[in-house]
Amino acid sequence: MDQQQLDLPGMLNNASTGEVEAGSGLEAEVLDRGELHVHINGAIPAATIREIFVDEGTLLPAGFDFERDLVRTTPCQSLAEYLTPWQVLRLFPKKPENLDRITLSVAASLAENNVRFVELRSSVLYLSTLHKCSPAQALERLIISTREASDRHGIRSGLILTVTRGDYSVVNLSTLLLAYQDLGRPTDVVGLDLAGDEEMAYPAELPSRFRDAKDRFGLGVTIHAGETGRVGNVRDAVELFGADRIGHGTAAPQDPELLELLSARGICVEVCPISNRLTGAVPPNEAHPLQQFRQFGVPFVICSDNPAIHMRNLADDQRAAMAEGLSMNDIRQQYDTAKRYSFIKGLL
């Protein structure tokens, strides 16, 4: 990776204070981290993906170039372009042992970055198709695999079940919740997430299904909203879905009253500085809304989103947040903030 790829606007090396220069001591001063927004399939090292593709005999889609299309290190023209890697990330693992390979590699990367607890996101249902098993069996395999990998690396972990926007979102949510109940409501599952194209419609009953799951099972709710400029999606996440946290939320500052609402209700924004720049959620000529969140008292946590796709880690996202105006003291406080807003029980 060349230096130009490192120097994304407002990110790693252009802070006026110099606090994020190489040798700033971030690793030495931030010994513990918590991660609340990371997708499992966006955190798999490229080397592991290559090994699994060879082992399972998986072919790349036509026109997909592994070196060019799997990673995202320069700003994309659209969210759709940013999501190109998912053309292959849903093609594996077909073998249960390769699922273990994935969770071990993800846990090892997190542990190397001093992550002490993590909420891992997965849509799960694609695993049932790949493994030719029921959704409950797929969920059970994922739980066992992530539990063993986390234990091996001394990390506390929880699973967030992700549903994608669209016509089948209610059906998919119902299927996931039924699998969760069939397994006896395992404590490994800590929350629900809505993700996908924010321009895509979803069934009218979807928000009430999220609220019902939250009330009935005590699951946390986090909604990808306001990542692509639709500030109304953030308000809907709060008022319709009953969100406890907002994924990205970069559009929220367009509406000061919405910021006041987030602050008053203590709804935490999962800020992913590197991802926000790469997707274009924050344009290169604009400041990241981190400072507006602070101004209005909106709680936020720095997260990594898809670190392997970015060839980065949570420490790099914290550096990027410092380039956007956070101080070293702000970064030190992130661990306690992540504990406070985590869906994992017993961290405080």
Side-chain angles (χ1 to χ4, degrees):
M1 187 181 310
D2 60 32
Q3 188 62 31
Q4 183 179 6
Q5 291 174 312
L6 286 169
D7 290 341
L8 296 178
M11 284 179 42
L12 298 182
N13 292 328
N14 52 350
S16 61
T17 62
E19 286 187 282
V20 294
E21 294 297 327
S24 63
L26 187 61
E27 286 81 359
E29 296 208 37
V30 183
L31 300 178
D32 300 303
R33 295 187 172 93
E35 172 65 90
L36 303 189
H37 187 128
V38 61
H39 299 271
I40 292 179
N41 56 10
I44 310 168
T48 302
I49 296 174
R50 283 185 179 277
E51 292 168 1
I52 292 174
F53 264 52
V54 171
D55 181 58
E56 297 184 346
T58 303
L59 299 177
L60 291 174
F64 190 97
D65 182 271
F66 198 93
E67 299 295 338
R68 179 193 66 210
D69 296 327
L70 185 65
V71 299
R72 288 288 174 261
T73 57
T74 56
C76 298
Q77 296 299 311
S78 65
L79 183 60
E81 180 188 343
Y82 172 83
L83 293 175
T84 300
W86 273 261
Q87 292 179 19
V88 301
L89 293 175
R90 291 298 180 87
L91 300 179
F92 68 97
K94 299 172 186 175
K95 299 178 181 179
E97 57 266 32
N98 283 332
L99 177 60
D100 295 337
R101 207 170 184 172
I102 287 169
T103 56
L104 278 170
S105 66
V106 171
S109 297
L110 291 166
E112 289 172 2
N113 211 223
N114 296 335
V115 172
R116 309 305 181 196
F117 62 90
V118 60
E119 296 177 8
L120 295 163
R121 300 182 188 216
S122 174
S123 59
V124 179
L125 294 180
Y126 78 101
L127 286 176
S128 67
T129 300
L130 290 172
H131 290 194
K132 299 179 180 179
C133 65
S134 70
Q137 290 171 322
L139 178 57
E140 183 175 35
R141 288 177 184 177
L142 182 60
I143 287 172
I144 292 172
S145 187
T146 54
R147 184 188 298 163
E148 291 179 350
S150 299
D151 287 347
R152 181 177 297 188
H153 289 281
I155 299 173
R156 286 199 61 181
S157 66
L159 282 174
I160 293 181
L161 307 182
T162 295
V163 175
T164 302
R165 285 178 169 84
D167 294 339
Y168 298 101
S169 52
V170 168
V171 173
N172 291 342
L173 177 61
S174 298
T175 301
L176 285 171
L177 290 174
L178 181 59
Y180 166 73
Q181 293 175 83
D182 287 346
L183 296 178
R185 304 183 186 181
T187 57
D188 303 76
V189 177
V190 298
L192 299 173
D193 172 36
L194 180 66
D197 184 353
E198 289 188 54
E199 303 296 326
M200 188 175 294
Y202 52 76
E205 64 268 33
L206 184 64
S208 64
R209 298 294 182 90
F210 266 80
R211 295 197 312 271
D212 179 66
K214 176 179 177 176
D215 295 340
R216 185 178 177 190
F217 305 124
L219 296 172
V221 171
T222 175
I223 305 292
H224 281 68
E227 184 180 11
T228 54
R230 292 179 61 89
V231 66
N233 287 345
V234 181
R235 186 173 289 277
D236 288 348
V238 175
E239 297 181 342
L240 301 182
F241 287 86
D244 302 290
R245 301 198 314 248
I246 300 295
H248 302 289
T250 52
Q254 296 175 22
D255 183 352
E257 290 185 0
L258 176 58
L259 290 179
E260 292 174 355
L261 177 66
L262 294 175
S263 176
R265 296 194 183 183
I267 296 173
C268 184
V269 178
E270 302 154 356
V271 175
C272 308
I274 293 177
S275 172
N276 292 161
R277 290 294 183 180
L278 292 175
T279 62
V282 180
N285 60 340
E286 293 183 12
H288 196 284
L290 268 172
Q291 296 298 341
Q292 289 166 284
F293 293 146
R294 294 213 316 179
Q295 178 186 349
F296 280 82
V298 177
F300 60 84
V301 288
I302 304 302
C303 306
S304 65
D305 201 10
N306 300 296
I309 300 301
H310 309 157
M311 298 181 71
R312 289 290 175 268
N313 54 42
L314 184 54
D316 292 315
D317 272 279
Q318 290 182 342
R319 287 190 184 88
M322 292 176 70
E324 304 284 4
L326 295 194
S327 68
M328 179 63 78
N329 188 53
D330 293 327
I331 297 301
R332 292 192 195 99
Q333 293 174 1
Q334 276 290 298
Y335 184 61
D336 287 336
T337 302
K339 285 196 291 185
R340 187 175 308 119
Y341 291 97
S342 175
F343 300 150
I344 301 172
K345 306 298 183 185
L347 289 176
L348 292 175

